[in-house]
Amino acid sequence: MELEPVTGLPEVRPGDDIAELVAERVDLEPGDVLTVASTIVSKAEGRLADLEDYPVSGRAQEIADRIEEIAGEEKDPRFAQAVLDESAELLIDVPFLLAETRFGHICPNAGIDRSNVPDHDILLLPRKPSESAERICAGLEERGYEDVPVIVTDTCGRPFRHGQTGVAIGWAGMPASRDWRGEADRDGHELGVTVQSVVDELAAAANLVTGEGAGGVPAVAVRDWEFGDHDGSDELFRAVENDLVREALRDWEFDG
Amino acid sequence: MELEPVTGLPEVRPGDDIAELVAERVDLEPGDVLTVASTIVSKAEGRLADLEDYPVSGRAQEIADRIEEIAGEEKDPRFAQAVLDESAELLIDVPFLLAETRFGHICPNAGIDRSNVPDHDILLLPRKPSESAERICAGLEERGYEDVPVIVTDTCGRPFRHGQTGVAIGWAGMPASRDWRGEADRDGHELGVTVQSVVDELAAAANLVTGEGAGGVPAVAVRDWEFGDHDGSDELFRAVENDLVREALRDWEFDG
């Protein structure tokens, strides 16, 4: 497996065609996977906003006040409002906002970014990242790059483990995971591993070569990797009924 | 960045020298990273056991009974005992065992594996995986492979997201993470990303090419990747005081 950063991409602006920008800069073979950072997908889709666009509701003001009171950290209530607007459910509100986005991804601040945002205050995640991935996939196909799955990536932290990793938030042209259930180990026992989230692993791998900030490269071609002869599944976000941690958070309140 | 599976490794047995087995089968350059699956590290370290080795305590019997009663799933109390013996803290007991191992890793069943275990019932994780990584690193150096960091990997599930991914449980010869704090984006703003868990991302990348079960390849050489000119940190597992999810789980009980 080989990962090649797609270098030379310009600053992406609303209306830009990611497939075109990428296709001009890299040769893709059938079976290669293209990962694209959500930041440039969001920019191309015009998901930039300013805090003054968010009139503050009572709920947002209350959250900002509680974060300031309990966590001692100043929080702009307009930012809290933006997070609420992007969220399907808030799992934690104090001392920080952990939200489920409307497309099912759970991350701090509903993934709203305050860095790397030229001329605006904030950058929202793509509205439907798998649809974004499908459009890029189709755009690559129009330019002669057939059979190139696309993964839209983000970076975020996680419970239990320190630091952030690259994760997938949308994908097209391949299943989200390999399903190993029913396959056997060397001794014929059924495997302990059940489902392998390959889109998350590809996003993590890509994040190793993209970098961040000024030197960041927001797209990576993954070559010589095969999904292989396995069952696939298109579930990436845990179903609520299988997520005990989420259930525990619903019942819980931070007390400083 | 390129990932090359180390092929041709034999079934590893207690007392085997992983560094020797790997060094005979792959050429490593300074700066390459070697990932090694915890399964073969555990086997080399003799971390195989049988359920009859675990006399059942009252606590283990109670857990097995409750899992059977509430989750309707038969649980061998001796297996629950093995998990307790390997754990520093149990975060969830019903409907499944989520445990912190004695070295700080949080995962189901304290990482005890029931597949891929020849001639025994279970395979325990290495006792101190970072020390295992250090020994392999030193063994590679003795064989002329200098400056090759080693990561001991496992696969496990996570809250919020479906499926499992490769993660690091021990490492040597490199920091666990890149610390981006203080670095700037293209517009001079401080980056939203703070700490990038590169050992976890390398483990995830490696897991894409190792496979599982009968065709599994338990070691991977990562080439042409650089940690780069960043600060490093050696924290991989979240400090308890920074882990709200863990706090929420402590206060919570499954009620079916």
Side-chain angles (χ1 to χ4, degrees):
Chain A
M1 182 171 88
E2 210 181 320
L3 286 92
E4 184 190 331
V6 180
T7 54
L9 285 166
E11 177 70 40
V12 173
R13 294 179 196 288
D16 280 352
D17 184 330
I18 304 269
E20 186 184 333
L21 293 175
V22 167
E24 286 166 354
R25 286 168 179 84
V26 68
D27 256 327
L28 296 163
E29 298 289 324
D32 288 354
V33 178
L34 180 75
T35 73
V36 183
S38 59
T39 44
I40 66 167
V41 177
S42 288
K43 285 175 185 173
E45 295 178 359
R47 297 278 285 159
L48 298 143
D50 292 307
L51 290 175
E52 66 184 28
D53 305 338
Y54 294 91
V56 175
S57 66
R59 176 96 173 95
Q61 187 65 55
E62 185 197 318
I63 289 170
D65 290 346
R66 285 194 62 219
I67 290 180
E68 195 161 341
E69 182 194 336
I70 298 183
E73 192 195 317
E74 209 173 319
K75 193 93 186 171
D76 190 321
R78 298 170 302 173
F79 185 79
Q81 187 61 54
V83 173
L84 287 174
D85 286 4
E86 291 298 309
S87 301
E89 185 182 342
L90 217 53
L91 280 77
I92 299 178
D93 53 5
V94 180
F96 70 94
L97 295 163
L98 182 69
E100 182 194 11
T101 66
R102 293 178 187 274
F103 60 87
H105 174 49
I106 294 175
C107 58
N109 298 327
I112 300 177
D113 200 351
R114 303 188 77 160
S115 64
N116 273 314
V117 196
D119 306 324
H120 288 275
D121 295 335
I122 57 176
L123 185 65
L124 313 173
L125 286 181
R127 215 178 285 275
K128 296 181 174 175
S130 284
E131 291 184 10
S132 308
E134 271 163 36
R135 281 193 295 274
I136 297 169
C137 212
L140 291 174
E141 200 169 333
E142 277 169 29
R143 286 165 186 84
Y145 291 130
E146 273 174 53
D147 189 21
V148 176
V150 172
I151 298 173
V152 176
T153 67
D154 192 17
T155 53
C156 72
R158 57 263 163 91
F160 311 144
R161 306 180 74 81
H162 185 63
Q164 302 181 316
T165 60
V167 295
I169 60 170
W171 67 99
M174 66 179 292
S177 51
R178 279 177 181 154
D179 193 336
W180 295 87
R181 281 173 292 193
E183 299 189 35
D185 70 11
R186 293 186 190 207
D187 303 303
H189 298 122
E190 199 171 319
L191 286 172
V193 164
T194 53
V195 173
Q196 180 190 5
S197 182
V198 290
V199 289
D200 271 349
E201 292 182 330
L202 287 163
N207 202 42
L208 286 163
V209 300
T210 51
E212 296 283 342
V217 174
V220 175
V222 182
R223 306 181 187 286
D224 297 322
W225 177 76
E226 275 183 24
F227 185 85
D229 185 22
H230 304 281
D231 288 335
S233 145
D234 261 340
E235 192 181 340
L236 176 60
F237 308 117
R238 254 184 208 266
V240 178
E241 63 271 23
N242 292 330
D243 198 342
L244 293 187
V245 167
R246 186 165 172 168
E247 208 174 302
L249 286 174
R250 279 180 173 169
D251 297 342
W252 178 79
E253 193 167 306
F254 181 72
D255 55 9
Chain B
M1 181 170 90
E2 209 181 319
L3 286 92
E4 185 190 331
V6 180
T7 54
L9 286 166
E11 177 70 40
V12 173
R13 293 177 197 288
D16 280 351
D17 184 330
I18 303 269
E20 185 183 334
L21 293 175
V22 167
E24 285 167 355
R25 287 168 178 83
V26 67
D27 255 327
L28 296 163
E29 299 289 324
D32 289 353
V33 178
L34 180 75
T35 72
V36 184
S38 59
T39 44
I40 65 168
V41 177
S42 288
K43 286 175 185 173
E45 295 178 359
R47 297 278 286 159
L48 298 144
D50 292 307
L51 290 174
E52 66 183 29
D53 304 337
Y54 293 91
V56 175
S57 66
R59 176 97 173 93
Q61 187 65 55
E62 185 197 320
I63 289 170
D65 290 346
R66 285 194 62 219
I67 291 180
E68 195 161 339
E69 182 194 337
I70 298 182
E73 191 195 319
E74 207 173 320
K75 193 92 186 171
D76 191 320
R78 299 171 301 172
F79 185 79
Q81 186 62 53
V83 174
L84 287 174
D85 286 4
E86 291 298 309
S87 301
E89 185 182 341
L90 216 53
L91 279 78
I92 298 179
D93 53 4
V94 180
F96 70 94
L97 295 161
L98 182 69
E100 183 194 12
T101 65
R102 292 179 187 273
F103 59 88
H105 175 49
I106 294 175
C107 59
N109 297 327
I112 300 177
D113 200 351
R114 301 188 79 159
S115 65
N116 273 315
V117 196
D119 307 325
H120 288 274
D121 296 334
I122 57 176
L123 185 65
L124 314 173
L125 287 181
R127 214 178 286 274
K128 296 182 176 175
S130 284
E131 290 184 10
S132 308
E134 271 164 37
R135 280 192 296 274
I136 297 169
C137 210
L140 291 174
E141 201 170 334
E142 277 168 30
R143 288 166 185 84
Y145 292 129
E146 274 176 51
D147 188 21
V148 176
V150 172
I151 298 173
V152 176
T153 67
D154 193 16
T155 53
C156 73
R158 55 264 162 91
F160 311 144
R161 306 180 73 82
H162 185 62
Q164 302 182 316
T165 59
V167 294
I169 59 170
W171 67 99
M174 66 179 293
S177 51
R178 278 177 181 155
D179 193 337
W180 295 87
R181 281 174 292 193
E183 300 189 34
D185 69 11
R186 292 184 190 209
D187 303 301
H189 298 122
E190 199 171 319
L191 286 172
V193 163
T194 52
V195 173
Q196 179 190 5
S197 181
V198 291
V199 289
D200 271 350
E201 291 182 332
L202 287 162
N207 201 43
L208 286 164
V209 300
T210 52
E212 298 282 343
V217 173
V220 176
V222 182
R223 307 182 188 284
D224 297 322
W225 177 76
E226 276 184 23
F227 185 84
D229 185 22
H230 303 281
D231 287 336
S233 145
D234 261 339
E235 192 180 339
L236 175 62
F237 308 116
R238 254 184 207 266
V240 178
E241 63 271 24
N242 292 329
D243 197 343
L244 293 187
V245 168
R246 186 165 172 168
E247 209 175 299
L249 287 174
R250 278 180 173 167
D251 297 343
W252 177 79
E253 194 168 303
F254 181 73
D255 55 10

